[in-house]
Amino acid sequence: MNQESDSLSPHQSLDLIQSMIRQAQGNMSNNSFYFILWGWVVVIANLGMYSMIKYTEFQYPHYVWLIAIPAWIVTMVYGSRQGRKQRRTSHLDKINMWLWIGFGVCLLPFIVFITKVNYNINPIILIITSLPTFVTGVMLRFKPLIWGGISFYVFGIICFLMSPIDQFLIGAIAIACGYLIPGYLLKATKEKNV
Amino acid sequence: MFKDLDPLLHSQLRLAVMSLLISVESAEFTFIKEKTGATAGNLSVQIDKLSTAGYIDVNKSFKGKMPLTTCNITKKGIKAFEDYVNSLKGYINK
């Protein structure tokens, strides 16, 4: 590309602008890793809680949620590595990142004050999760994730109608529909496009 | 010839750099080099001119042990780019 182009006509300038914008935009980073990781973590934790409460006398079934700690560490390490690999950050990438950080911040008080609501936070969490999942699906133009977001909302409402113990089972099914299935489909799409 | 057009932007490579940066939050030097097809030396000179004019910010850091240069457009750069595009439209509609 030339350093100076005095002969650049207005039409050529506009063509150049359009072509560069098209090249830069691309798609938002398609990252299925987080959906699959957190999908499995939450499914295992929910099923663990459900089976321990229902079939055992174990007094601290909520200890199963400790598996979220290594998952957080993996998320942070992976996120930082991905950030270093990325050669350009799109506006959508930034919006998506803040959307999920905001989601985590909103979840925090429910987890900290979980005893105040007698550990029954499943319906609330599912309904809150529906928002970032749905919006990420829209930004990626990926329908399974959009439907995943909608399914979180529906399962959240169903949860309100169930007993506290059955809510863990519903939670596991919701995460499988909202995170795991779209996550694996997203991964398959990415591999197909490579 | 095109007197109203910002001479800093009315250059093929600088305009290409600004068009890339207007579409993203930030981009690495190597990304801009690859997309514009410019040589590293030429691109450095043009980025320096845009940076001196306050149209872009250039951040230098390290990726592991390798130096990393990242660029992003400033508010002044966005305004200049918009004015440039409006002037272009004026010429085309004449």
Side-chain angles (χ1 to χ4, degrees), chain A residues 118-134:
Chain A
N118 200 25
Y119 297 96
N120 296 331
I121 57 168
N122 257 317
I124 300 161
I125 287 193
L126 290 181
I127 288 172
I128 295 179
T129 309
S130 72
L131 179 68
T133 310
F134 182 87

Side-chain angles (χ1 to χ4, degrees), chain B residues 32-82:
Chain B
I32 301 171
K33 182 173 165 285
E34 181 189 301
K35 295 295 175 190
T36 56
T39 62
N42 189 10
L43 185 58
S44 290
V45 171
Q46 303 314 319
I47 282 181
D48 203 37
K49 283 184 184 174
L50 291 169
S51 171
T52 306
Y55 287 2
I56 64 171
D57 275 335
V58 179
N59 299 299
K60 291 182 187 290
S61 59
F62 284 91
K63 192 187 227 178
K65 287 178 183 171
M66 300 291 285
L68 172 71
T69 304
T70 315
C71 304
N72 62 278
I73 199 162
T74 61
K75 279 185 185 169
K76 189 180 175 187
I78 293 172
K79 172 81 173 55
F81 187 83
E82 283 171 353

Side-chain angles (χ1 to χ4, degrees), chain A residues 37-90:
Chain A
L37 170 73
W38 282 98
W40 280 115
V41 167
V42 182
V43 163
I44 291 167
N46 267 312
L47 289 179
M49 279 286 277
Y50 177 77
S51 48
M52 277 192 270
I53 293 172
K54 194 128 181 164
Y55 305 112
T56 71
E57 300 292 319
F58 186 54
Q59 283 191 327
Y60 308 104
H62 50 274
Y63 277 9
V64 71
W65 287 99
L66 290 175
I67 61 167
I69 295 172
W72 269 112
I73 295 168
V74 171
T75 299
M76 284 189 279
V77 171
Y78 182 83
S80 134
R81 280 191 186 162
Q82 286 299 107
R84 281 202 296 268
K85 271 188 203 166
Q86 217 166 0
R87 292 166 66 219
R88 62 117 172 83
T89 310
S90 72

Side-chain angles (χ1 to χ4, degrees), chain B residues 10-26:
Chain B
H10 198 59
S11 134
Q12 202 174 346
L13 183 49
R14 288 194 295 265
L15 183 59
V17 172
M18 290 293 282
S19 306
L20 281 175
L21 292 179
I22 199 116
S23 339
V24 295
E25 278 289 321
S26 62

